[in-house]
Amino acid sequence: REGWVSGWGGGEVSMCKSGGVGSAYQGGRLRMSGKRIDVAGHKGMVGRALVSELSKNSNIEIVTASRDQLDLTNQLAVKQFFKSHRVDEVYLAAAKVGGIHANNTLPASFIYENLMISANVINAAHESDINKLLFLGSSCIYPKFAEQPIKESSLLSGALEPTNEPYAIAKIAGIKLCESFNRQYGRDYRSVMPTNLYGPYDNFELNGSHVIPALINKFAQAKQNNASSVNIWGSGRARREFLHVSDLARGSIQIANLPNAEFDAAIPPMSSHINMGTGTDCSIRELAELLCEVTEFKGRLDFDTSKPEGTPVKRLDVSLAQSLINWKPSISLRDGLSSTWEWFQENSNNCRV
């Protein structure tokens, strides 16, 4: 099914051997030695980046498994998994994801599967007395016309973007599940809301992916076919913020391991989420022009204004993350696009296109 990135469960356990946490984690704040950490969605783009970053700590075990071993929409199966595995922490990166076209054509699938994944994993973690969990959400949780840049307090302050409302509602439910288990049971369940992500292992399908992977695939096909132009949905005026998935993984782990006293002092009880982005945006036209340079495509860009382009502007306020973990992305958009383009060229036969 389109965009399905879940992938952990029944028993594929690995002990990470490489490296240490180093200075990137603010003077040794990561306290993960001897822990077993589940990464839900380890075969997706975000999950792979989390596993890669977590693996730098040689003293933890990372539990992963394929969807064939565990269907996260199956409540009983998820409960049984947690009962049969000793788990200390969970990173919930599993989700059904996709771009505007996928969300428009499969709304029931997006809301149902994402609701079930969040509810099953978060509740089963609680019932198995797992006290730490990090839920990965999406910036689409915020109102379509939220004041820019978007603060965490903008949640539920207005109407959502209609093209991805079902997905957004499911992600909001995940945030509220974390908040509610924290309030009622004293759990330490936190949420990170990333801006638009891109990087290796993304979904590059033309009709099911987000804007950067879709454009990378389009530019690749145009170059291969010696096409004179690339067609792009919308006017090109919509503005978006983009974050490389490796930066997200690094920041998410820092948020997850922030001392409780610091987290609780900054996050009110009726909240659990922290924005993660770059704090800067660009228009879709500017993005496409940058991709022209990166891919060395010499043709023209044709913007199809008959196609939807979603929220006019979306940029996150990342001041909370900056104050808590001194957050600053390390990968520029140009460098990230270049490395993702190179990865796609080397792996196009084996990735989702």
Side-chain angles (χ1 to χ4, degrees):
R1 282 177 286 180
E2 186 170 13
W4 180 260
V5 297
S6 75
W8 63 264
E12 180 189 337
V13 180
S14 61
M15 173 70 82
C16 301
K17 299 293 186 182
S18 60
V21 295
S23 59
Y25 295 105
Q26 307 300 309
R29 278 187 177 174
L30 288 188
R31 301 179 303 279
M32 298 188 293
S33 295
K35 293 183 179 180
R36 301 185 77 216
I37 299 178
D38 279 314
V39 178
H42 80 285
K43 288 189 175 180
M45 176 178 66
V46 174
R48 286 178 185 269
L50 284 169
V51 169
S52 176
E53 197 66 30
L54 287 166
S55 297
K56 295 176 181 179
N57 187 326
S58 61
N59 296 316
I60 64 171
E61 287 183 277
I62 300 174
V63 181
T64 63
S66 68
R67 185 186 173 198
D68 292 337
Q69 293 171 300
L70 178 62
D71 179 359
L72 295 180
T73 65
N74 184 320
Q75 184 183 65
L76 180 60
V78 175
K79 288 185 176 183
Q80 289 175 337
F81 169 79
F82 277 117
K83 289 183 182 298
S84 62
H85 292 77
R86 181 183 66 80
V87 173
D88 299 302
E89 298 180 15
V90 175
Y91 284 76
L92 180 44
K96 181 179 179 65
V97 298
I100 291 176
H101 176 78
N103 276 271
N104 263 335
T105 55
L106 300 170
S109 298
F110 273 85
I111 192 168
Y112 174 77
E113 293 183 27
N114 285 299
L115 280 172
M116 292 302 100
I117 290 169
S118 299
N120 291 343
V121 174
I122 293 170
N123 183 64
H126 163 68
E127 290 188 352
S128 297
D129 202 25
I130 299 168
N131 199 50
K132 286 188 68 66
L133 179 146
L134 186 75
F135 173 71
L136 277 298
S138 167
S139 59
C140 72
I141 63 167
Y142 293 115
K144 178 174 182 176
F145 297 110
E147 183 178 349
Q148 303 291 321
I150 307 173
K151 295 181 179 293
E152 287 86 354
S153 58
S154 295
L155 181 64
L156 298 177
S157 65
L160 299 166
E161 160 60 39
T163 57
N164 57 21
E165 183 185 73
Y167 175 78
I169 288 173
K171 285 299 182 181
I172 292 171
I175 296 172
K176 292 302 177 181
L177 278 166
C178 290
E179 293 174 16
S180 299
F181 277 94
N182 292 344
R183 292 171 57 209
Q184 185 171 343
Y185 299 107
R187 293 301 183 193
D188 185 10
Y189 293 172
R190 307 176 184 184
S191 304
V192 167
M193 295 301 113
T195 190
N196 300 284
L197 300 171
Y198 69 99
Y201 299 100
D202 206 340
N203 173 14
F204 293 86
E205 295 173 356
L206 291 178
N207 291 324
S209 61
H210 293 104
V211 60
I212 284 181
L215 286 178
I216 284 177
N217 194 351
K218 284 186 175 184
F219 278 105
Q221 292 189 19
K223 286 173 66 71
Q224 182 178 355
N225 298 327
N226 293 316
S228 60
S229 65
V230 167
N231 180 268
I232 301 171
W233 279 26
S235 66
R237 292 190 293 270
R239 301 189 68 84
R240 294 292 182 269
E241 175 186 23
F242 299 101
L243 178 68
H244 194 278
V245 69
S246 295
D247 276 334
L248 170 69
R250 177 176 55 84
S252 296
I253 295 169
Q254 289 179 262
I255 292 295
N257 288 278
L258 192 71
N260 287 359
E262 295 181 31
F263 184 85
D264 293 341
I267 309 299
M270 294 293 289
S271 181
S272 68
H273 64 289
I274 297 174
N275 288 342
M276 193 149 290
T278 64
T280 60
D281 63 10
C282 68
S283 71
I284 298 302
R285 177 180 290 276
E286 290 168 337
L287 172 68
E289 290 171 348
L290 184 54
L291 277 169
C292 279
E293 297 176 19
V294 167
T295 64
E296 299 182 341
F297 176 71
K298 305 302 182 183
R300 70 177 186 276
L301 301 174
D302 290 339
F303 292 89
D304 186 352
T305 57
S306 70
K307 300 294 186 182
E309 55 187 358
T311 303
V313 182
K314 188 166 66 173
R315 176 166 56 91
L316 297 183
D317 185 317
V318 295
S319 57
L320 182 57
Q322 289 171 340
S323 66
L324 285 172
I325 61 171
N326 195 27
W327 165 249
K328 185 178 181 180
S330 63
I331 303 172
S332 70
L333 181 57
R334 178 182 290 275
D335 289 345
L337 291 176
S338 295
S339 63
T340 304
W341 168 249
E342 292 173 4
W343 184 91
F344 178 78
Q345 289 182 297
E346 296 171 357
N347 296 274
S348 59
N349 292 330
N350 301 313
C351 63
R352 290 173 289 174
V353 294

